[in-house]
Amino acid sequence: MFIVFEGIDGTGKTTQAKLLAEHFQKLGRTVLLSREPTDGPWGTLLRNSAETGRLSPEEELETFLKDRRQHVAEKIAPALAEGSIVILDRYYFSTMAYQGIRGFDPQDIRERNEAFAPVPDLLLIMDLDVDSAIERIGARGDSTNEFEKRSSLTQCRETFLSLSGEPFAKVINTKNTPEQVTQDILEAIEQCKV
Ligand code: TYD
């Protein structure tokens, strides 16, 4: 089973992905819990570029694709082939959202990715209104920054929600308590017949 967590910052994706991995491990399943950008060379370059100066939109998109190709080839595909449960904290839907903001067409990005990246069995869209997200990530203060943050979070959230009609997608309301969110995720998995 291949499960992907997506959503804007502040939705608790990382925490819930970890809890879900532990849940399956307790049941005796083998789990690959991984994230993008990865800890490999391309992912590291991307993470560092957040501090050392952002890449051009083209270079950034190409680097996310290289990172993902390597991730799929070396980790995701082998784990799925041996019957492990694969849980990802971000995947190509984040490229649609975040590189979409930088001017690329989300649908083109999706097609480029689906040419090599397997579609998940379940996409958990961790949803939160932008005000609450700003609150949680502590981005209040400097008004220019907050304005930019607000507009990019709004656009990303819209891209994620535009995927809610996909048969493999489920929107999770992360305004609820963490316990309720976990419950909703487990229910979504229950309903996902693979
Ligand atoms: P994030 O999950 O926030 O990592 P962390 O909390 O560990 O720093 O991801 C880092 C950033 O990378 C996030 O702002 C979204 C961005 N991103 C893209 O722009 N495109 C992508 O394809 C992916 C996977 C992430």
Side-chain angles (χ1 to χ4, degrees), residues 145-158:
N145 235 333
E146 187 179 330
F147 177 78
E148 277 170 21
K149 194 83 197 166
R150 189 174 293 275
S151 89
S152 54
L153 286 173
T154 302
Q155 208 178 319
C156 282
R157 183 185 184 209
E158 278 167 12

Side-chain angles (χ1 to χ4, degrees), residues 42 46 58-71 92 95 109 112-114 116:
W42 302 113
L46 284 160
E58 289 74 18
E59 271 179 316
E60 188 180 70
L61 174 61
E62 293 310 318
T63 311
F64 272 110
L65 286 165
K66 282 184 200 158
D67 187 41
R68 186 162 304 122
R69 272 181 207 285
Q70 189 171 23
H71 198 200
Y92 63 85
T95 321
I109 294 178
R112 286 192 67 185
N113 277 277
E114 288 180 354
F116 70 91

Side-chain angles (χ1 to χ4, degrees), residues 93-107:
F93 309 98
S94 277
T95 321
M96 293 172 64
Y98 291 87
Q99 279 59 57
I101 295 182
R102 296 198 86 184
F104 297 100
D105 174 25
Q107 280 317 312

Side-chain angles (χ1 to χ4, degrees), residues 6 9 13-14 35-37 47 54 60 64 68 89-96 98-99:
E6 291 280 11
D9 298 328
K13 281 179 288 80
T14 307
R35 64 172 186 170
E36 292 189 0
R47 283 180 193 282
R54 210 167 164 181
E60 188 180 70
F64 272 110
R68 186 162 304 122
D89 182 352
R90 295 195 186 280
Y91 195 36
Y92 63 85
F93 309 98
S94 277
T95 321
M96 293 172 64
Y98 291 87
Q99 279 59 57

Side-chain angles (χ1 to χ4, degrees), residues 3-7 11-25 31-36 85-91 124 126 172 174 178 181-182 185-186 189:
I3 303 167
V4 170
F5 283 83
E6 291 280 11
T11 53
K13 281 179 288 80
T14 307
T15 306
Q16 293 291 341
K18 267 191 207 139
L19 288 173
L20 187 61
E22 285 164 15
H23 164 82
F24 283 123
Q25 278 156 351
V31 178
L32 169 70
L33 171 63
S34 193
R35 64 172 186 170
E36 292 189 0
I85 293 176
V86 175
I87 300 172
L88 295 190
D89 182 352
R90 295 195 186 280
Y91 195 36
L124 295 164
M126 303 291 277
I172 302 288
T174 69
V181 170
T182 304
I185 290 168
L186 293 176
I189 290 166

